[in-house]
């Protein structure tokens, strides 16, 4: 089977990420028009339950399958790779059925006591039905990543997004949901249908791949790898589960604290929906390339035995951190200098600019954190990820609990900045020690910040800089991006040699 390089896998996932992000944004714009900002707020309260279910049933095991499969693939032990996947599917399938049962039958209790909105009952019951498809499909995608085959997971992600969108559009077109409860249930139906169809596609692709790898006479021994999988997955899963629980608690507390700050319940839900359902996805939109690179790094680093003396991997890690921080400051540049225009371009609501300009300083930290997490996973530093996840959530909760009643939504943003700064610092130190890499602060932070500020000054001289005509906004974004890139190369932040070092090596070079 043909293998993909780190860059090839990242490029496939990047293209997929951009396609799914574009589809997702169009979908969010459509949903905003159909259910409003209050509806988006209710939708954002339901999503943590969905993500928590995925975390419990899949997250750590999927990452483990990817890493273990990569090692077996390097040794051409395909039968053991299959056994690892079968064992993972048994574990995730069992967990997802139990989790789905609990959410379905206890939906009224969850909606009343945790979400504090009984309008979420229908939605919770609908998404509970797709948990087995979601978790088992996730394990199979992890297997494909470990086999250095990103194409199948990429197509499945696009398929899932398209099915989700067309399911929701179709239901809204042929039926007229009455009230916010039914409207949000429609979005939940889209999620469930997307997961089911995505699973079917991934499963069929796996069956085709299996025929070319192992003999039909081979007797599988999936339980042989149970303890191997669990010993790796439990630290990662437990950290993510606890972090997900704390994150869910954050999301439930925010509307309540905003009411105490002075908002009505409807306005609090609306503000929450604008921030987490509209503004946050906007600033995170460009992270597709970093998420893709991070995902591609995990099996590639896991397959190496001597990281400190592997020049190619060391260079990839150093340049990955450099590129992610540079990309983060690019996003900071766009959103800090064009906040209203960026929100108007996608949502036709310039009022979102108030949230975007506050979130813009988070971009360098968010973008860098994505790559750092992938590197830590590849290095097998799941305990550090566990500590980071818990520490991040505790800091966020502290800011929400202590300051939100006094300064409103600003407390949530300040807490995110503080937590991201701390966990990025910890991750950098751990990676530097484990891989003998040297990500220089001057190039990663100081110079990109200067380039960002210079780009913003340059924008002031453009006559259409304050225009809200969409074509002018696009020109402004392209202009400031090009100017920022030019400054980045002029200041020596990134050099041509940096790009060459992460390109796949030819046989002659090797």
């Amino acid at each position: 089977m043909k293998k993909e390089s780190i860059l090839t896998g990242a490029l496939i996932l990047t293209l997929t990420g951009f396609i799914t992000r574009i589809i997702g944004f169009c979908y969010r714009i459509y949903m905003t028009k159909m259910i409003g900002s209050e509806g988006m707020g209710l939708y954002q309260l339901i999503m943590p339950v969905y993500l928590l279910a995925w975390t419990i049933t899949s997250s750590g095991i999927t990452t483990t399958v990817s890493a273990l499969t990569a090692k077996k693939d390097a040794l051409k032990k395909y039968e053991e790779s299959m056994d690892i996947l079968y064992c993972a599917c048994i574990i995730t399938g069992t967990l997802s059925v139990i989790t789905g049962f609990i959410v379905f039958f206890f939906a009224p209790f969850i909606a009343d006591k945790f979400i504090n909105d009984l309008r979420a009952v229908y939605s919770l019951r609908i998404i509970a039905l797709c948990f087995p498809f979601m978790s088992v499909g996730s394990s199979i995608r992890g297997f494909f990543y470990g086999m250095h085959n990103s194409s199948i997971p990429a197509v499945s992600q696009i398929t899932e997004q398209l099915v989700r969108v067309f399911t929701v559009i179709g239901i809204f077109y042929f039926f007229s949901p009455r009230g916010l409860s039914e409207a949000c249930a429609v979005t939940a139906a889209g999620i469930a249908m997307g997961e089911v169809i995505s699973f079917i596609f991934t499963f069929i692709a796996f069956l085709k791949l299996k025929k070319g790898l192992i003999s039909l006479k081979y007797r599988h021994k999936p339980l042989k790898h149970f303890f191997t999988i669990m010993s790796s997955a439990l630290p990662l899963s437990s950290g993510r589960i606890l972090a997900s629980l704390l994150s869910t608690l954050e999301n439930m507390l925010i509307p309540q604290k905003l009411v105490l700050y002075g908002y009505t319940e409807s306005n609090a839900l609306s503000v929450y929906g604008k921030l987490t359902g509209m503004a946050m996805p906007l600033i995170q939109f460009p992270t597709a390339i970093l998420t893709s690179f991070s995902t591609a790094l995990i099996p590639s680093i896991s397959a190496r035995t001597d990281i400190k003396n592997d020049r190619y991997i060391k260079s990839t890690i150093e340049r990955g951190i450099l590129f992610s921080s540079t990309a983060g400051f690019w996003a900071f540049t766009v959103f800090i200098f064009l906040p209203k225009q960026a929100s108007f371009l996608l949502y036709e609501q310039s009022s979102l600019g108030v949230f975007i300009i506050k979130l813009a300083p988070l971009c360098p930290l968010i973008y860098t954190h994505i790559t750092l997490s992938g590197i830590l996973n590849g290095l097998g530093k799941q305990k550090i990820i566990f500590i980071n996840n818990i520490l991040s959530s505790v800091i966020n909760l502290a800011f929400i609990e202590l300051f939100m009643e006094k300064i409103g939504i600003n407390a949530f943003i300040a807490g995110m900045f503080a937590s991201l700064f701390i966990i990025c610092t910890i991750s950098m130190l751990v990676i530097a020690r484990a891989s003998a890499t040297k990500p220089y602060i001057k190039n990663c932070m100081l110079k990109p910040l200067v380039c960002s500020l210079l780009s913003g000054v340059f924008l002031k001289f453009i006559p259409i800089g304050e225009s809200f005509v969409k074509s002018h906004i696009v020109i402004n974004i392209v202009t400031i991006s090009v100017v920022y890139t030019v400054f980045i190369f002029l200041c020596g932040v990134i050099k041509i040699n940096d790009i060459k070092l992460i390109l796949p090596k030819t046989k002659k070079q090797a």
Side-chain angles (χ1 to χ4, degrees):
M1 186 179 69
K2 187 178 180 181
K3 307 299 180 185
E4 298 167 351
S5 67
I6 295 177
L7 185 64
T8 302
L11 287 175
I12 292 172
L13 293 173
T14 297
L15 180 60
T16 304
F18 276 120
I19 293 173
T20 54
R21 293 288 175 94
I22 291 170
I23 295 172
F25 252 101
C26 294
Y27 178 53
R28 283 183 177 274
I29 293 168
Y30 175 80
M31 282 206 305
T32 301
K33 293 179 180 179
M34 298 304 296
I35 65 179
S37 58
E38 185 179 358
M40 289 298 295
L42 183 59
Y43 174 78
Q44 289 299 122
L45 287 176
I46 295 166
M47 287 306 293
V49 178
Y50 170 70
L51 295 175
L52 177 60
W54 178 82
T55 304
I56 292 171
T57 62
S58 311
S59 64
I61 294 175
T62 300
T63 303
T64 299
V65 168
S66 177
L68 293 178
T69 301
K71 292 180 179 179
K72 298 300 180 182
D73 178 55
L75 300 172
K76 299 188 182 302
K77 295 182 177 180
Y78 302 124
E79 292 85 358
E80 292 194 31
S81 295
M82 292 291 177
D83 287 345
I84 289 168
L85 175 60
Y86 286 2
C87 184
C89 288
I90 293 171
I91 297 169
T92 56
T94 303
L95 289 174
S96 61
V97 170
I98 296 171
T99 305
F101 179 90
I102 292 172
V103 172
F104 186 89
F105 287 101
F106 291 91
F109 177 80
I110 295 170
D112 182 33
K113 301 299 181 182
F114 295 97
I115 297 179
N116 293 311
D117 199 320
L118 286 171
R119 292 176 294 184
V121 173
Y122 291 151
S123 300
L124 291 173
R125 283 180 167 164
I126 291 171
I127 62 171
L129 299 175
C130 76
F131 290 170
F133 300 97
M134 171 186 67
S135 60
V136 176
S138 183
S139 293
I140 299 175
R141 285 193 290 272
F143 171 81
F144 277 109
Y145 286 130
M147 297 294 289
H148 302 282
N149 184 341
S150 303
S151 302
I152 298 302
V155 175
S156 73
Q157 287 177 35
I158 295 174
T159 301
E160 179 187 335
Q161 284 287 329
L162 289 173
V163 171
R164 180 184 299 192
V165 171
F166 285 114
T167 298
V168 172
I169 292 176
I171 295 175
F172 272 117
Y173 181 80
F174 290 104
F175 303 96
S176 298
R178 294 171 294 179
L180 208 55
S181 176
E182 291 187 7
C184 282
V186 172
T187 65
I191 294 172
M193 187 59 68
E195 292 287 1
V196 171
I197 300 301
S198 175
F199 164 77
I200 292 172
F201 169 82
T202 308
F203 184 67
I204 292 173
F206 166 72
L207 292 179
K208 290 182 178 179
L209 175 65
K210 177 184 174 183
K211 289 181 181 179
L213 290 180
I214 63 172
S215 170
L216 295 174
K217 296 180 180 179
Y218 177 74
R219 292 186 178 182
H220 292 284
K221 302 174 182 177
L223 296 181
K224 171 185 174 182
H225 299 280
F226 177 80
F227 292 105
T228 303
I229 292 174
M230 296 307 294
S231 63
S232 178
L234 274 177
L236 187 59
S237 293
S238 58
R240 288 180 177 177
I241 290 169
L242 184 53
S244 187
L245 283 168
L246 293 173
S247 178
T248 302
L249 181 59
E250 288 176 34
N251 288 289
M252 293 172 182
L253 275 177
I254 292 171
Q256 299 175 35
K257 291 293 182 178
L258 288 176
V259 171
L260 296 175
Y261 175 68
Y263 289 114
T264 64
E265 290 187 4
S266 178
N267 287 340
L269 199 58
S270 179
V271 168
Y272 173 72
K274 287 181 178 179
L275 178 70
T276 60
M278 299 169 75
M280 281 294 292
L282 177 55
I283 71 163
Q284 292 176 333
F285 177 78
T287 60
I289 185 171
L290 301 174
T291 303
S292 306
F293 185 75
S294 175
T295 303
L297 275 175
I298 296 172
S300 300
I301 296 177
S302 297
R304 306 283 176 147
T305 57
D306 189 6
I307 299 296
K308 289 187 176 182
N309 295 314
D310 192 319
R311 293 180 61 188
Y312 177 59
I313 288 295
K314 284 177 62 178
S315 297
T316 302
I317 291 174
E318 290 177 354
R319 272 68 189 181
I321 295 172
L322 177 64
F323 293 157
S324 61
S325 63
T326 304
F329 276 101
W330 164 77
F332 166 79
T333 305
V334 172
F335 295 127
I336 201 74
F337 293 110
L338 297 168
K340 294 182 179 179
Q341 290 89 339
S343 63
F344 184 81
L345 179 65
L346 290 172
Y347 295 113
E348 297 185 348
Q349 294 184 30
S350 60
S351 60
L352 280 176
V354 175
F355 296 107
I356 291 171
I357 199 170
K358 293 178 180 180
L359 292 171
L362 299 176
C363 289
L365 296 172
I366 291 174
Y367 288 40
T368 304
H369 172 62
I370 291 171
T371 299
L372 293 176
S373 295
I375 296 170
L376 287 172
N377 266 319
L379 292 172
K381 301 295 182 181
Q382 282 79 21
K383 290 182 180 179
I384 300 300
I385 296 173
F386 172 82
I387 293 171
N388 281 347
N389 289 338
I390 302 307
L391 186 59
S392 175
S393 293
V394 169
I395 292 171
N396 289 338
L397 278 171
F399 272 79
I400 292 169
E401 183 66 32
L402 297 175
F403 304 116
M404 187 163 279
E405 291 182 35
K406 300 175 183 177
I407 60 176
I409 203 67
N410 293 325
F412 174 69
I413 298 171
M416 284 189 66
F417 185 89
S419 63
L420 281 166
F421 180 82
I422 291 171
I423 64 176
C424 281
T425 301
I426 293 172
S427 299
M428 283 273 201
L429 294 173
V430 172
I431 291 169
R433 178 178 295 180
S435 61
T437 53
K438 297 178 181 179
Y440 299 104
I441 299 299
K442 185 178 179 180
N443 276 356
C444 290
M445 296 290 172
L446 300 181
K447 285 186 178 180
L449 177 59
V450 172
C451 293
S452 173
L453 298 177
L454 290 174
S455 303
V457 172
F458 183 89
L459 185 67
K460 298 299 180 182
F461 294 98
I462 300 176
I464 58 173
E466 300 296 327
S467 173
F468 280 89
V469 178
K470 289 192 175 183
S471 59
H472 291 174
I473 296 173
V474 173
I475 292 172
N476 287 334
I477 293 175
V478 171
T479 300
I480 199 170
S481 299
V482 171
V483 171
Y484 174 77
T485 303
V486 171
F487 280 132
I488 285 294
F489 278 96
L490 288 177
C491 292
V493 178
I494 294 177
K495 302 174 183 177
I496 299 298
N497 190 48
D498 292 324
I499 299 173
K500 289 181 179 179
L501 282 170
I502 67 166
L503 292 175
K505 296 181 178 180
T506 62
K507 290 183 179 179
K508 186 176 180 180
Q509 289 174 320

